[in-house]
Amino acid sequence: MEPALKINNLQVSYYTDAGRARALDGVNLTLNPGEKLGLVGESGSGKSTMALAMMRMIKPPGRIEGGEVIIGDVNLTTLSEEDMLKARLSRIAYIPQGAMNSLNPVTRIGAQMVDAIKAHDTGMSKKEIIEKSMESLESVDLKREVFKMYPHELSGGMKQRVCIAIGILLEPQVIVADEPTSALDVITQRQVMETIDKVQDKLGAAIILIGHDMGLMAQFVDRVAVMYTGRLMEVSSVKDMFTRPKHPYAVDLIHSLPNLENKGVFKGIPGVAPALLRLPSGCSFHPRCSQAIEICQKDTPPYQEIEDNRFAACHLFQEKA
Amino acid sequence: MKIRKIIERIFFFLLVVWAASTITFFIPRISSRNPVRERFGQLARSGGFAPADLEIIIESFNQKFGLDLPLWEQYTNYVGSLARLDLGVSMFQFPKTVGELINESLPWTIGLLVTTTILSFIIGNLMGAIAAWPKAPRWLRNLAMPFVLFMGVPPVLLAIFLLFFIAFRLKFLPLGGAYSIGTVPNLSLEFALDVLKHQILPATAMIFGSVGGWVLSMRGMGITIQGEDYVLFAEHKGLSGFTIFKDYYLRNALLPQVTAFALALGNVVSSGIIIEQLFGLPGIGTLLHNAIKFNDFVVIYGVVLFITIAIAALMVFVELLYPLLDPRIQD
Ligand SMILES: Nc1ncnc2c1ncn2[C@@H]1O[C@H](COP(=O)(O)OP(=O)(O)OP(=O)(O)O)[C@@H](O)[C@H]1O
Ligand SMILES: [Mg+2]
């Protein structure tokens, strides 16, 4: 099967007054059609940067400095600016976190769906565009009437659904959702997640779900990717990740989750994530790692397949023979 | 719902008009000064007639204009004539009515002050919006700089400067007046061009005086709006830069400017009075200025009332317009 998404050695830096911050440092990832990947990691680890880099929406002082993002057979990184505009929404769609404010307050929902379709060469008539928009609203469990409403007339959950409906208008192969439910209450969170799940199944699109809620992740995604200081530390299936995580950072992360046995005890990860401007030598996690060995201080571990369909960047694991 | 709101607004407008007219009625009457006596006293001193006749003249004037009647009767007469859009008769340019005088001056004020206020609004806001738009070419973003610099110069100073160099020294454009002396107003192209030529300098002074302010406030708004989630999401949708600029960015950044624009329009007469004077244009500002100079209190109060009503009407219009611009504003 041809992968829906291939990310090769993606590099992004932010050039701040204090120096160059490598926010994304050699990320590799392959996603099959219909696959759901959860992307987790501490705040500032580069999750949003990765989403924006895939959309080619990194703004100054940030810059994509290398690597490629390939969707189907199209390499987004080499597209012209104009072709990239067309690729947004039609090949890769982004569902924002701030659904509360992601819709233009002064125009109707319908207008904000119609202009999105019109910006792409779909060859649809005006009537077809409206019909398509309304169908899209229906597929995220909203009424067709929402088409004529203004954002302030909708609840937070409904606004997030509208954003999803916009995201799937042109049936993209890849959807990136950056904390799509973090501003919602738990009940609405679940409903919105179910909606994302449903429309994604229908489209057969691959999805990257960025989030902090491991519980919610565990239920909805197939694989989990753990990011630390702009690098992927481990990518494994949900089951593997939760039952036998490999990378020491992933182990700590999973064990810091509350469960009934360790109720009341918060087990965090010792130390704090280093500033991107002053990354430790070798593996960026080694100062906090309980299993660090000598080489960890010197060499950056390569990101490689350590078991069938499990990837990690850690010196403790040899490349699969 | 909608109809109710319109009726409510119109009722409120009438209330404002009534309050304003009542105040303009009572101010000259409760003041210790007697404008009629002062006016004719002035004339008497300048040698128009014997001081002995003064009392008789004032008496007959009061009688003629009903100023000898009881206050409440004067008031009802006044309100009655207002309802007939009758603002009274000028004391100085008798027998011209205040209505006629306003009618004659209004086109000049609209032609210069209102037009330049609208032009400044459009130019200033467009430039301010572009100046804050990161994707605009650098030269386009800097286009607003000279206007911002000119903001420090009072329009009057600029006007004098323009008059001195362009009209007086270089003689490119006329020194003042609404049209060339000797021509009779008519509907020919020649006359229209003549009028236009006379408007260039005052219009330039007005525009340079106010564009900078719009640029600065709009640029501030623009910087806030461009970071809003809906502008970013619009980019994620793959919309062209122009569409985002127009429908997402400018549209939202303009909202507070509309209110400021209504206020600027309301201030048109007071902000333009000196320009009209300086360039000898017979607009409302000049009318008011002359009325004050000659103590023509009927005209003074008539013009003030007219301006008040115009501003009140403008505010009603803006309030009714606003929900169309921003659907979040209701009732
Ligand atoms: N515009 C910017 N200028 C400078 N540095 C930036 C900028 N945007 C992001 N960064 C830096 O890049 C790093 C990654 O940020 P990013 O927003 O991708 O993190 P994240 O994993 O999405 O965090 P969160 O979970 O809080 O959303 C951070 O260290 C941040 O300081
Ligand atoms: Mg983020």
Side-chain angles (χ1 to χ4, degrees):
Chain A
M1 182 166 37
E2 198 187 337
L5 168 74
K6 256 178 86 87
I7 298 177
N8 294 326
N9 196 26
L10 193 57
Q11 316 236 5
V12 175
S13 293
Y14 290 101
Y15 288 85
T16 64
D17 290 340
R20 171 186 180 198
R22 291 164 170 268
L24 223 55
D25 191 5
V27 168
N28 294 289
L29 193 67
T30 304
L31 243 64
N32 288 323
E35 200 179 0
K36 311 178 214 302
L37 177 97
L39 180 59
V40 299
E42 283 166 76
S43 193
S45 56
K47 305 181 297 293
S48 298
T49 300
M50 179 165 147
L52 294 176
M54 290 167 67
M55 299 294 296
R56 264 181 59 184
M57 287 265 301
I58 298 284
K59 305 208 161 164
R63 208 158 75 199
I64 299 180
E65 300 197 295
E68 43 194 13
V69 177
I70 301 167
I71 292 178
D73 50 6
V74 179
N75 187 345
L76 297 187
T77 18
T78 56
L79 288 183
S80 69
E81 210 41 62
E82 215 165 296
D83 288 341
M84 189 60 218
L85 286 184
K86 307 268 188 247
R88 291 188 190 127
L89 212 62
S90 68
R91 294 188 187 280
I92 179 166
Y94 175 87
I95 296 171
Q97 164 180 19
M100 285 301 170
N101 302 313
S102 287
L103 297 167
N104 189 350
V106 297
T107 51
R108 292 177 201 276
I109 302 298
Q112 301 182 48
M113 303 185 86
V114 169
D115 68 359
I117 301 181
K118 276 190 175 163
H120 299 79
D121 319 306
T122 55
M124 282 193 250
S125 71
K126 194 165 180 193
K127 229 177 111 190
E128 285 167 332
I129 291 177
I130 293 173
E131 182 55 31
K132 175 89 199 164
S133 306
M134 289 189 169
E135 273 170 19
S136 195
L137 287 171
E138 273 178 332
S139 69
V140 296
D141 305 313
L142 289 170
K143 295 206 184 83
R144 295 170 81 91
E145 285 79 69
V146 170
F147 188 85
K148 289 215 172 68
M149 291 168 84
Y150 286 103
H152 73 272
E153 297 169 314
L154 306 175
S155 71
M158 290 165 89
K159 279 189 235 180
Q160 188 55 274
R161 280 167 200 279
V162 170
C163 289
I164 298 167
I166 290 174
I168 59 169
L169 273 175
L170 299 174
E171 299 168 12
Q173 288 152 276
V174 178
I175 298 171
V176 192
D178 193 351
E179 305 190 35
T181 60
S182 62
L184 307 173
D185 66 273
V186 273
I187 310 260
T188 317
Q189 259 182 12
R190 182 156 300 273
Q191 291 168 345
V192 168
M193 282 307 300
E194 274 161 7
T195 302
I196 293 181
D197 207 46
K198 192 183 82 183
V199 295
Q200 184 231 352
D201 275 350
K202 209 174 87 186
L203 292 182
I207 188 165
I208 296 181
L209 197 67
I210 298 172
H212 291 280
D213 188 337
M214 296 285 251
L216 205 63
M217 286 271 171
Q219 292 182 19
F220 286 99
V221 301
D222 308 317
R223 284 201 292 162
V224 178
V226 175
M227 186 171 261
Y228 187 77
T229 60
R231 291 174 201 166
L232 288 181
M233 292 288 157
E234 179 172 346
V235 179
S236 296
S237 70
V238 173
K239 187 153 166 275
D240 286 340
M241 186 65 88
F242 280 85
T243 54
R244 38 182 206 101
K246 282 279 188 181
H247 195 289
Y249 178 64
V251 173
D252 284 356
L253 203 63
I254 298 297
H255 286 166
S256 68
L257 291 178
N259 58 40
L260 282 177
E261 280 96 78
N262 65 13
K263 190 163 150 252
V265 191
F266 175 72
K267 184 171 173 296
I269 303 173
V272 290
L276 289 178
L277 290 167
R278 278 174 282 104
L279 281 188
S281 59
C283 170
S284 57
F285 185 61
H286 86 258
R288 300 169 80 189
C289 183
S290 57
Q291 299 175 54
I293 50 177
E294 216 187 303
I295 189 172
C296 300
Q297 298 180 31
K298 290 210 307 268
D299 296 337
T300 307
Y303 174 82
Q304 53 192 202
E305 191 164 20
I306 54 165
E307 275 177 29
D308 259 340
N309 266 319
R310 294 194 75 170
F311 297 82
C314 182
H315 290 300
L316 296 176
F317 310 105
Q318 300 293 331
E319 192 158 359
K320 190 182 64 163
Chain B
M1 205 55 196
K2 196 88 190 130
I3 299 287
R4 218 195 102 146
K5 202 184 156 194
I6 295 174
I7 291 172
E8 224 175 75
R9 286 293 143 207
I10 290 174
F11 177 76
F12 190 72
F13 166 74
L14 292 175
L15 204 70
V16 169
V17 171
W18 171 77
S21 54
T22 303
I23 291 170
T24 39
F25 172 82
F26 279 108
I27 284 183
R29 285 169 177 84
I30 55 173
S31 104
S32 56
R33 291 176 62 180
N34 183 338
V36 178
R37 181 174 296 276
E38 278 178 30
R39 176 79 197 106
F40 286 107
Q42 249 175 11
L43 283 180
R45 273 192 300 283
S46 66
F49 41 80
D53 295 337
L54 189 58
E55 292 307 319
I56 304 168
I57 291 174
I58 292 172
E59 180 104 356
S60 69
F61 185 90
N62 282 347
Q63 217 166 6
K64 174 107 177 66
F65 289 95
L67 294 173
D68 53 346
L69 296 172
L71 205 55
W72 67 267
E73 210 170 320
Q74 282 188 41
Y75 183 67
T76 45
N77 285 345
Y78 171 78
V79 172
S81 55
L82 269 192
R84 280 177 272 114
L85 298 181
D86 175 7
L87 288 170
V89 180
S90 164
M91 292 167 69
F92 185 69
Q93 300 188 52
F94 189 86
K96 271 206 169 148
T97 65
V98 177
E100 278 166 0
L101 288 171
I102 289 177
N103 238 337
E104 283 166 14
S105 336
L106 198 57
W108 297 107
T109 295
I110 291 182
L112 178 68
L113 302 181
V114 175
T115 310
T116 52
T117 305
I118 295 172
L119 273 179
S120 304
F121 177 78
I122 296 171
I123 298 171
N125 281 291
L126 213 52
M127 280 186 171
I130 291 171
W133 188 244
K135 285 203 186 116
R138 195 165 199 74
W139 65 268
L140 204 59
R141 298 181 60 182
N142 289 336
L143 215 59
M145 280 318 288
F147 288 96
V148 176
L149 288 179
F150 267 107
M151 244 181 74
V153 185
V156 182
L157 220 60
L158 188 67
I160 292 172
F161 182 85
L162 287 174
L163 270 176
F164 183 74
F165 280 99
I166 297 184
F168 183 69
R169 296 301 289 268
L170 298 174
K171 299 192 170 41
F172 278 160
L173 290 164
L175 264 169
Y179 40 82
S180 300
I181 298 164
T183 47
V184 180
N186 57 66
L187 279 175
S188 70
L189 181 70
E190 203 182 336
F191 181 71
L193 285 177
D194 186 47
V195 168
L196 208 62
K197 223 165 76 183
H198 283 79
Q199 299 282 333
I200 292 176
L201 286 187
T204 309
M206 283 299 290
I207 289 177
F208 267 89
S210 50
V211 163
W214 291 121
V215 168
L216 283 192
S217 58
M218 186 58 174
R219 195 175 60 181
M221 251 344 267
I223 287 168
T224 312
I225 299 289
Q226 67 181 256
E228 291 285 343
D229 289 338
Y230 52 80
V231 175
L232 297 177
F233 189 48
E235 270 183 81
H236 281 293
K237 292 199 293 185
L239 300 185
S240 70
F242 181 67
T243 308
I244 299 175
F245 182 85
K246 179 167 66 74
D247 295 345
Y248 289 75
Y249 168 72
L250 191 60
R251 181 81 163 68
N252 279 286
L254 267 180
L255 289 179
Q257 300 296 81
V258 171
T259 314
F261 177 56
L263 293 175
L265 270 185
N267 280 332
V268 126
V269 172
S270 53
S271 61
I273 196 165
I274 298 177
I275 294 286
E276 281 190 353
Q277 281 298 299
L278 212 56
F279 288 93
L281 297 168
I284 296 278
T286 301
L287 177 65
L288 186 60
H289 178 262
N290 288 340
I292 293 169
K293 201 160 83 187
F294 296 116
N295 217 350
D296 193 343
F297 86 100
V298 184
V299 174
I300 297 175
Y301 292 110
V303 170
V304 167
L305 187 60
F306 172 78
I307 294 172
T308 312
I309 293 173
I311 294 173
L314 198 67
M315 289 303 154
V316 172
F317 176 72
V318 168
E319 275 207 51
L320 292 178
L321 178 83
Y322 216 79
L324 299 180
L325 298 177
D326 187 351
R328 285 167 298 184
I329 311 277
Q330 232 98 59
D331 302 307

